[in-house]
Amino acid sequence: MPTAYLLLGSNLGNRTEYLRTAVQHLQETAGTVEAVSSLYETAAWGLTSQPAFLNQAVRLRTLLTPAQLLATCLAIEQRAGRERHVRWDARTLDVDILLYGDQVLDTPALQVPHPRLPERRFALVPLFEIAPEAVHPQLQCTVAELLVACPDSLAVERVG
């Protein structure tokens, strides 16, 4: 069964509850949640004039294909009231596929590994907590190596 690594994020409403509920829905609909990182808070990336985000990484064993997993993640976001208006806008819930086994996909709907993973500390720090030795299949670097080389200086603070 393939292992996927996801990043959950929320910066609207009860952020902690949105993340907790997302993990529960992933367990119910996508596979077996094997590990969940601590919660990390960071300032918004991209559109910076919005509330801070809580982020959390999840290790998921799944029989879903990457496309099926994406559809499941989008459904979980929608269930949480996610609205898409502007790229990188504030949101109740964001569920991104960071890695899916050793697969590399580049379609209009889905890119795996996540194309901006190496440049985002808010994704790498929680992922490092649960999978420091996971390998980025294109760059052939571990998550630990990506974190050391990450150019992003945005503070990522563990909050729970």
Side-chain angles (χ1 to χ4, degrees), residues 9 12 14 27-28 41-42 46 50 64 73 88 93 98 100 102 104 107 111 116 125 143-144 155:
L12 290 177
N14 187 337
Q27 180 71 33
E28 294 168 356
E41 188 169 58
T42 186
Q50 57 182 306
L64 300 179
C73 292
W88 296 323
L93 182 64
L98 300 177
Y100 185 100
D102 61 357
V104 176
T107 70
Q111 292 178 289
R116 287 170 298 284
V125 170
V143 170

Side-chain angles (χ1 to χ4, degrees), residues 29-46:
T29 61
T32 302
V33 172
E34 292 187 328
V36 179
S37 76
S38 302
L39 297 175
Y40 292 87
E41 188 169 58
T42 186
W45 192 95

Side-chain angles (χ1 to χ4, degrees), residues 33-114:
V33 172
E34 292 187 328
V36 179
S37 76
S38 302
L39 297 175
Y40 292 87
E41 188 169 58
T42 186
W45 192 95
L47 290 178
T48 57
S49 61
Q50 57 182 306
F53 273 85
L54 278 187
N55 289 295
Q56 187 172 49
V58 175
R59 181 172 61 230
L60 177 75
R61 297 279 285 176
T62 185
L63 290 175
L64 300 179
T65 66
Q68 291 169 329
L69 181 57
L70 175 61
T72 299
C73 292
L74 292 173
I76 291 169
E77 289 178 353
Q78 187 173 26
R79 193 170 175 179
R82 168 83 187 261
E83 296 180 8
R84 294 176 186 270
H85 301 291
V86 177
R87 186 176 190 186
W88 296 323
D89 201 6
R91 60 207 79 148
T92 54
L93 182 64
D94 189 33
V95 183
D96 288 336
I97 301 171
L98 300 177
L99 300 167
Y100 185 100
D102 61 357
Q103 290 199 31
V104 176
L105 298 169
D106 189 1
T107 70
L110 178 61
Q111 292 178 289
V112 175
H114 192 288

Side-chain angles (χ1 to χ4, degrees), residues 124-153:
L124 288 169
V125 170
L127 184 57
F128 172 81
E129 181 184 327
I130 63 170
E133 297 303 318
V135 175
H136 188 291
Q138 288 172 305
L139 302 176
Q140 294 302 304
C141 296
T142 66
V143 170
E145 292 167 329
L146 290 174
L147 183 56
V148 168
C150 183
D152 182 10
S153 61

